[in-house]
Amino acid sequence: MLLGLALLAPANADGPGKQFNRVTDAPTFTSPDGKVRLEQYARDMGDDGLLFQFWTFDPSHKHAALLNKGETTDQAGYQAGFRFSPDSQWLVRMQKIGSGTHTLYLYKRNGDQFAPATAKPLGDAAWDYFFTQPAATGVRHDPNDPYSLDHMRVGLIKGLEDNYAWLGQHWPDNRYLVIGLSFDIQGEETPFPWVEDWRCLYDLTTGTFSVPESFAEHNQNALKMPDPARK
């Protein structure tokens, strides 16, 4: 077995076990209702680096549940950031997966635990949506390689905790995630358009993406065109 392979662990267990140590410099995240506590643990996998596990507990540090079952160092080789929805029913994981590359995972609450809410990482689904949009015209990418563009980054725009009040929106509570996508063309011999913080909405109720009209100006500025002098 390769060291980089995920360690098998039940979704529900007493906790991380002796092979994983609490990451002391990683923050602890607590749901707004105070009923779920999230901690990060890691194991040194030698040449493959660190493998992180993300565990949730109740306030008494019982009922442990592993959030990222089956992941390898490819998906969980770094600490992650987390945001709960204001109603504590959704959890977003902001995950670095390589140099300049980031993605998102979405989880939905079921009782005192969280489970994946999408069939693939939310970040991958967001890129799938982007490539159906006019902003992707002229972008050269390999649809079979999710990391075929340079420094692909999917981020959760700040404001989930107050339903994005700072954007001046009046959306229903706990309904949307605002997601920003970026990549660059540093490694491309022949330049093509790229984006820096192109935004879309993810609807937690319907599981669909959209671009509201209010994002039009921002997204126009997020679309970057190469210098015509560069051949």
Side-chain angles (χ1 to χ4, degrees):
M1 297 290 289
L2 297 175
L3 286 177
L5 294 178
L7 298 179
L8 296 179
N12 301 291
D14 293 335
K18 296 181 179 179
Q19 294 178 322
F20 283 80
N21 297 313
R22 176 82 180 275
V23 181
T24 56
D25 64 346
T28 296
F29 298 88
T30 303
S31 60
D33 65 5
K35 295 182 179 180
V36 179
R37 173 188 176 95
L38 190 150
E39 299 175 354
Q40 304 188 52
Y41 293 77
R43 179 185 178 184
D44 188 343
M45 305 297 286
D47 292 341
D48 288 333
L50 295 176
L51 174 62
F52 285 79
Q53 288 188 343
F54 311 112
W55 287 83
T56 61
F57 304 86
D58 67 13
S60 299
H61 213 260
K62 298 178 180 179
H63 299 103
L66 178 59
L67 199 64
N68 60 323
K69 181 181 179 181
E71 290 186 354
T72 72
T73 53
D74 290 335
Q75 297 87 33
Y78 299 89
Q79 290 186 30
F82 293 88
R83 293 290 183 275
F84 289 92
S85 61
D87 64 358
S88 301
Q89 297 305 303
W90 301 89
L91 175 63
V92 181
R93 169 179 154 207
M94 300 168 285
Q95 181 69 60
K96 177 180 178 179
I97 53 176
S99 178
T101 307
H102 301 260
T103 194
L104 297 176
Y105 291 82
L106 179 64
Y107 305 90
K108 183 172 176 56
R109 188 167 177 174
N110 181 14
D112 60 356
Q113 300 174 11
F114 283 85
T118 55
K120 60 172 62 176
L122 183 62
D124 289 359
W127 281 118
D128 289 346
Y129 176 72
F130 169 79
F131 289 125
T132 70
Q133 299 301 296
T137 301
V139 175
R140 296 191 300 272
H141 76 288
D142 180 356
N144 297 315
D145 180 359
Y147 311 115
S148 60
L149 298 174
D150 294 321
H151 303 135
M152 297 177 72
R153 302 179 300 283
V154 185
L156 180 68
I157 302 301
K158 67 178 182 179
L160 175 61
E161 64 280 356
D162 61 3
N163 293 301
Y164 301 99
W166 73 274
L167 288 176
Q169 302 294 338
H170 300 284
W171 295 320
D173 290 350
N174 309 296
R175 178 68 183 266
Y176 295 113
L177 303 177
V178 182
I179 295 173
L181 296 91
S182 304
F183 69 91
D184 61 53
I185 57 169
Q186 290 185 27
E188 303 295 334
E189 293 184 4
T190 304
F192 52 82
W194 73 97
V195 292
E196 296 177 1
D197 191 31
W198 183 90
R199 293 181 183 176
C200 61
L201 282 184
Y202 181 76
D203 189 323
L204 293 167
T205 299
T206 65
T208 58
F209 292 91
S210 64
V211 178
E213 185 176 347
S214 59
F215 285 8
E217 181 178 358
H218 176 92
N219 282 351
Q220 184 177 359
N221 294 329
L223 179 60
K224 307 299 181 181
M225 304 301 292
D227 184 347
R230 181 182 169 189
K231 303 289 186 179

